[in-house]
Each structure stands twice: as C-alpha cells, then as structure tokens.
Amino acid sequence: MTAAEVAAFLSISKKTLQRHVEDARIACVDVGTGRRAHLRFAPRQLHDFIASQTREVTSCPSTRAKSAPSISTISRSVGVAFTELPRPGTKEMRKPSSVC
C-alpha cells in the first residue's frame, strides 16, 4: 500500500503518517531511489499498529454514577427589602411599610 492509501485507511494525514514512520511506530519498506523515498506498507503491519494503539477502558471517570454532594453550609444573611435601604444622600434607614 502507498502512503496516501495508508493515510486514508487510518484516517490521518500523510504528515502524521510520516511522524509515525519516523518514530518507528509503523514499519514500512523504502522502494524509492534518488531524491524521493517511496514508502510501501504491508496490511499486517497496519493491523499491528492499530492493535498497539487500541486500549481497553474499563471505567470512564466521567460516566461514573455521581453521589450527591455533602455540603453543609449555614447562611446568616438577611434579606433586605428595597424600601428599607437608605435614601440617596442620607444615612438613615426607611421604616418598613406594613403591607400585608
């Protein structure tokens, strides 16, 4: 198989294929002469490469059942109505209106 055929078979670019060859992850045979190398790949070598890149995942951390968070916080804040806020320019608080 040619480099273009292997790159299409593995769904990678020819540049990525070249990196795998340079790192000796995929074996190939150089049949070129002169300035250009013509690489050829055997199907068995490709299947060995695929097998070496595949790993079995037993449990994915992101799909594990999540337990409810155990958070115990106590808020001591008090809600304040807008009518109780100080008037602009004064420092006194308004008295709450008795609307029920």
Side-chain angles (χ1 to χ4, degrees), residues 27-100:
C28 65
V29 176
D30 183 7
V31 294
T33 57
R35 299 180 79 185
R36 274 203 159 154
H38 297 282
L39 304 178
R40 296 296 182 260
F41 301 86
R44 180 69 191 153
Q45 294 165 335
L46 298 178
H47 292 293
D48 290 343
F49 170 72
I50 292 170
S52 71
Q53 298 298 310
T54 306
R55 63 176 181 224
E56 186 176 323
V57 177
T58 56
S59 172
C60 182
S62 63
T63 59
R64 262 189 257 158
K66 296 181 179 165
S67 61
S70 60
I71 301 173
S72 59
T73 58
I74 298 173
S75 177
R76 296 175 191 219
S77 63
V78 177
V80 177
F82 287 108
T83 58
E84 295 180 16
L85 295 175
R87 291 183 183 184
T90 65
K91 294 184 180 180
E92 63 183 58
M93 297 290 283
R94 294 184 189 175
K95 294 183 180 179
S97 60
S98 58
V99 178
C100 292

